[in-house]
Amino acid sequence: MDGKLFLVPTPIGNLEDMTFRAIRILKECDLILAEDTRTSAPMLKHFGIDKRVFSHHQHNEHKATSEIIKFLNEGQKIALISDAGTPAISDPGFFLVREAIKNDIAVECLPGATAFVPALVNSGLPADAFCFEGFLPVKKGRQTKFKKLAEEDRTIILYESPHRLLKTLEEFAQYLGADRQASVSRELTKMFEETVRGTLTEIKSHFENNTLKGEFVICIAGKPNVKSKNKYEDAEE
């Protein structure tokens, strides 16, 4: 039998977002690779999934990949999950997928939960064209990235942590303009889900006076230009 690598999205908060297919694949595979076994254990138990689970995270993925490729070449079916959402989207997975492809091993990614899609659709900003930046550089290359994004005319999407949110919003206001329209979503699919829309300044002011907790998705309108304006006017006509 040929081995196969499955990339299986898991809920970003609400367990009801798990798909029937994802549960079946996890039950049928030979082993599961999890970003953090402690985080994944309650979710796997909830769905009655009792399989061997090994850690596969950014600190060991290069070292562990050769052994995983060996298992796949022996015909095993292996599923990769992250702590939440779709593997390889700002999470480990890319390196393993690339190596599997290099070794002619079948790779199948299931559709499912990921944070930036609902945040984008819920933002009210144009979703026909966008760029996803993941997490911005913390130090090296950060200023260069802001200057580049200042020229981006597509909707910009990125992830941010609570302790850097205010700084990031302030920097975007500096480089893109304080009145640039944006949307910030936090705790998506969870009990305290919140989406705040407005200018970068208005959103920053909101979070300066409210709880900074959870995972944040920032969506920012692209740089206005005549071409994009005409495109939407033509569509309306």
Side-chain angles (χ1 to χ4, degrees):
M1 291 180 62
D2 295 329
K4 193 170 188 178
L5 174 65
F6 293 91
L7 306 180
V8 182
T10 54
I12 60 175
N14 194 323
L15 289 177
E16 292 181 358
D17 293 333
M18 190 72 162
T19 69
F20 293 117
R21 183 179 170 203
I23 295 171
R24 176 179 63 80
I25 293 296
L26 292 176
K27 286 184 175 180
E28 292 177 354
C29 68
D30 296 297
L31 64 91
I32 297 171
L33 304 174
E35 185 178 0
D36 188 330
T37 56
R38 295 166 300 179
T39 301
S40 300
M43 184 271 296
L44 295 173
K45 182 179 180 181
H46 177 83
F47 292 111
I49 299 166
D50 184 17
K51 290 287 179 177
R52 292 183 296 162
V53 182
F54 294 93
S55 294
H56 185 78
H57 47 74
Q58 63 177 346
H59 302 297
N60 76 348
E61 60 177 336
H62 287 72
K63 183 178 179 181
T65 292
S66 59
E67 189 73 11
I68 297 168
I69 295 298
K70 177 185 175 183
F71 290 154
L72 289 165
N73 279 324
E74 291 172 351
Q76 293 197 41
K77 302 293 190 293
I78 299 178
L80 172 66
I81 61 176
S82 63
D83 287 347
T86 301
I89 302 296
S90 293
D91 281 318
F94 163 73
F95 184 75
L96 177 58
V97 169
R98 186 178 64 181
E99 293 304 303
I101 292 171
K102 284 182 181 179
N103 285 270
D104 295 320
I105 295 167
V107 178
E108 184 174 334
C109 182
L110 281 63
T114 189
F116 79 81
V117 174
L120 170 62
V121 175
N122 198 33
S123 70
L125 299 173
D128 61 324
F130 59 88
C131 65
F132 174 68
E133 292 292 327
F135 287 95
L136 293 176
V138 177
K139 294 181 180 179
K140 186 178 180 180
R142 188 174 175 90
Q143 186 178 36
T144 301
K145 177 64 72 173
F146 277 111
K147 290 180 179 179
K148 182 178 179 181
L149 292 176
E151 299 303 315
E152 178 61 65
D153 60 3
R154 297 170 295 177
T155 299
I156 303 163
I157 311 168
L158 60 141
Y159 293 155
E160 193 51 278
S161 62
H163 66 278
R164 280 199 299 266
L165 177 70
L166 295 178
K167 177 185 176 183
T168 296
L169 291 173
E170 182 178 346
E171 288 173 303
F172 267 116
Q174 175 186 344
Y175 285 95
L176 277 63
D179 60 347
R180 183 72 66 90
Q181 289 294 312
S183 170
V184 173
S185 298
R186 72 177 186 94
E187 296 287 80
L188 285 167
T189 79
K190 300 176 183 177
M191 183 179 294
F192 299 106
E193 176 178 334
E194 178 184 25
T195 294
V196 181
R197 306 174 187 86
T199 66
L200 287 167
T201 298
E202 290 169 342
I203 295 173
K204 179 174 179 288
S205 176
H206 170 84
F207 284 110
E208 283 175 334
N209 298 289
N210 288 276
T211 303
L212 285 175
K213 185 177 180 181
E215 297 182 354
F216 291 79
V217 185
I218 304 174
C219 297
I220 305 173
K223 181 180 180 180
N225 61 69
V226 175
K227 184 178 179 181
S228 63
K229 180 180 179 182
N230 288 339
K231 178 176 67 174
Y232 290 109
E233 288 177 347
D234 293 341
E236 291 176 358
E237 292 174 359

